[in-house]
Amino acid sequence: MAVRKNQADLTATEKRNFVDAVLELKRSGRYDEFISTHNAFIIGDTDDGERTGHRSPSFLPWHRRFLLQFEQALQSITPSVMLPYWDWTVDRTPRSSLWADDFLGGDGRSSDGRVTSGPFAFTSGKWPMNIRVDGRTFLRRSLGAGVRELPTRAEVDRVLALTVYDAAPWNSSSDSFRNNVEGWRGPNLHNRVHVWVGGQMTTGASPNDPVFWLHHCFIDKLWADWQRMHPKSGYLPTGSTPNVVGLHDTMKPWNDVTPADLLDHTKFYTYG
């Protein structure tokens, strides 16, 4: 069974293979297709209308499928590559190995947020912003500027203790595990990390920053942890519900997969 590892445990070769595969997806144009897909769903998902990727029960299975699709694209280049995860309850500072020059590169400069180090720096010429929300063509970060602290382990544990997956009205106001882990309620887990990284991570085009995949991989791991802790608490809603994806409803943009198909992550990978 293929294993998704903590990025802190990757070997130098594993880091290099991951970075090289990401850069090749970018060179071929395939990477930007993922950015476009995510941006379209950020724009389209609303509390009062149809919602699939965000603000809704399918936030977790939608991103699980999105990650799987990206992982498979990486493996089409280097078959051994697996998505790593970033445990931001442990690796909490800009000095963490995550931001080293041999992996994702560091913080943005104070004047304009431009990332100047690592393989995704503007000067490398390998990471142009083709799908963007403004005129700036370089990767930006402002680590810790938008919000000072990343979520803590205690905050994560508090969310994992919630026993109800989701609840009416099935949007950003519901008091549930999904809404707490997404970050609209409670300690603000997923959303807060996007803001802490800053730059493109605060926009619908957040996959422009490769850290997007490592962050969402950890969110996916937290869902897997919650499923193991609460085996009797399944995905909700189970039936047809206006504007949201029920357990057996297909999810856009694929239209060939349901949340039920994605509940067991061990069919695809495990976490190390």
Side-chain angles (χ1 to χ4, degrees):
M1 174 62 68
V3 179
R4 291 180 175 176
K5 297 171 61 174
N6 188 323
Q7 62 81 28
D9 298 327
L10 295 177
T11 66
T13 298
E14 288 170 331
K15 288 183 180 181
R16 184 170 59 251
N17 287 344
F18 175 79
V19 168
D20 288 349
V22 169
L23 289 173
E24 175 56 25
L25 284 183
K26 182 69 167 180
R27 187 202 64 76
S28 70
R30 295 170 67 192
Y31 192 98
D32 288 344
E33 294 174 8
F34 287 94
I35 302 172
S36 295
T37 295
H38 189 267
N39 192 43
F41 278 84
I42 281 278
I43 294 170
D45 292 328
T46 64
D47 269 349
D48 299 319
E50 184 179 14
R51 46 200 181 274
T52 302
H54 309 84
R55 299 173 177 265
S56 64
S58 49
F59 166 74
L60 290 166
W62 190 92
H63 281 87
R64 179 166 283 179
R65 174 60 182 264
F66 195 52
L67 293 179
L68 275 167
Q69 197 174 39
F70 183 70
E71 191 169 57
Q72 290 161 0
L74 294 175
Q75 290 166 353
S76 72
I77 297 164
T78 304
S80 64
V81 169
M82 295 292 295
L83 280 177
Y85 63 89
W86 167 31
D87 183 348
W88 26 255
T89 70
V90 176
D91 295 305
R92 303 177 54 76
T93 76
R95 297 178 299 280
S96 298
S97 61
L98 176 75
W99 309 112
D101 288 353
D102 67 343
F103 199 28
L104 300 189
D107 199 1
R109 64 190 185 186
S110 59
S111 59
D112 58 5
R114 181 186 293 186
V115 172
T116 60
S117 63
F120 306 104
F122 180 73
T123 53
S124 73
K126 298 178 180 179
W127 202 251
M129 297 294 101
N130 301 315
I131 310 298
R132 54 185 185 266
V133 296
D134 57 32
R136 290 172 287 190
T137 59
F138 49 86
L139 179 62
R140 292 179 290 113
R141 293 178 184 139
S142 52
L143 306 183
V147 61
R148 181 178 297 180
E149 297 290 337
L150 288 163
T152 65
R153 186 68 228 183
E155 289 173 324
V156 166
D157 289 343
R158 193 158 73 243
V159 171
L160 289 177
L162 298 172
T163 58
V164 177
Y165 177 81
D166 211 335
W170 318 107
N171 60 20
S172 66
S173 66
S174 67
D175 190 12
S176 62
F177 166 72
R178 188 276 310 166
N179 210 22
N180 275 258
V181 79
E182 188 173 354
W184 302 110
R185 292 289 295 267
N188 186 2
L189 300 186
H190 157 266
N191 290 346
R192 195 197 324 178
V193 177
H194 276 269
V195 175
W196 186 90
V197 175
Q200 282 91 355
M201 276 285 278
T202 64
T203 74
S206 50
N208 267 309
D209 194 329
V211 77
F212 170 93
W213 306 104
L214 284 74
H215 169 39
H216 270 276
C217 200
F218 188 55
I219 293 294
D220 185 76
K221 181 181 184 299
L222 293 182
W223 182 27
D225 292 342
W226 181 87
Q227 290 176 296
R228 185 180 65 254
M229 293 169 63
H230 306 285
K232 296 182 180 179
S233 300
Y235 181 94
L236 294 171
T238 56
S240 180
T241 304
N243 291 324
V244 301
V245 179
L247 180 62
H248 300 289
D249 295 334
T250 57
M251 293 186 294
K252 297 177 181 179
W254 309 288
N255 299 316
D256 62 356
V257 64
T258 70
D261 297 328
L262 295 162
L263 296 182
D264 181 9
H265 73 284
T266 64
K267 294 188 298 185
F268 312 103
Y269 52 84
T270 60
Y271 281 107

